[in-house]
């Protein structure tokens, strides 16, 4: 069960709910992965709406690790997401919205229409 007051969201994998949360450590990990030097720069990185498959993997993996799951990026890439690609994209966007907030100028991208 996820605790939205802690910024947690859920990832659905093979019918199982996995909590995700971007802790300070997870955000530092993403800063390094996306080669930015601040949290505002990280938020801005997601505003343009152009996320690659690798970006989605990194975001989800950091969120899962932030919620306490020991998992590698490579393992996330092999998961069977409920809803397929669109399910993974929606989960990553929900995590970004829970972390950066919808009303604070950093609007995460919208999922593509498949």
């Amino acid at each position: 069960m996820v605790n939205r007051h802690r910024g947690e969201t859920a990832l659905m994998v093979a019918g199982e709910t996995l909590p995700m949360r971007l802790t300070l450590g997870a955000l530092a990990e993403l800063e390094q992965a996306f080669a930015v030097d601040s949290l505002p720069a990280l938020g801005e990185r997601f505003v343009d709406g152009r996320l690659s498959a690798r970006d989605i993997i990194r975001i989800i993996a950091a969120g899962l690790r932030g919620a306490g799951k020991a998992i590698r990026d490579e393992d996330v890439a092999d998961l069977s997401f409920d809803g397929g690609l669109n399910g993974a994209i929606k989960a990553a966007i929900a995590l970004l919205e829970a972390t950066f907030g919808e009303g604070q100028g950093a609007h995460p991208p919208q999922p593509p229409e498949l």
Side-chain angles (χ1 to χ4, degrees), residues 22-40:
L22 290 178
T23 61
L24 192 55
L27 288 167
E29 178 184 327
L30 290 176
E31 284 176 344
Q32 182 177 14
F34 292 116
V36 297
D37 61 0
S38 68
L39 287 174

Side-chain angles (χ1 to χ4, degrees), residues 44-55:
E44 286 298 315
R45 167 70 173 75
F46 303 126
V47 170
D48 66 11
R50 294 179 292 152
L51 292 177
S52 69
R54 183 73 190 143
D55 294 345

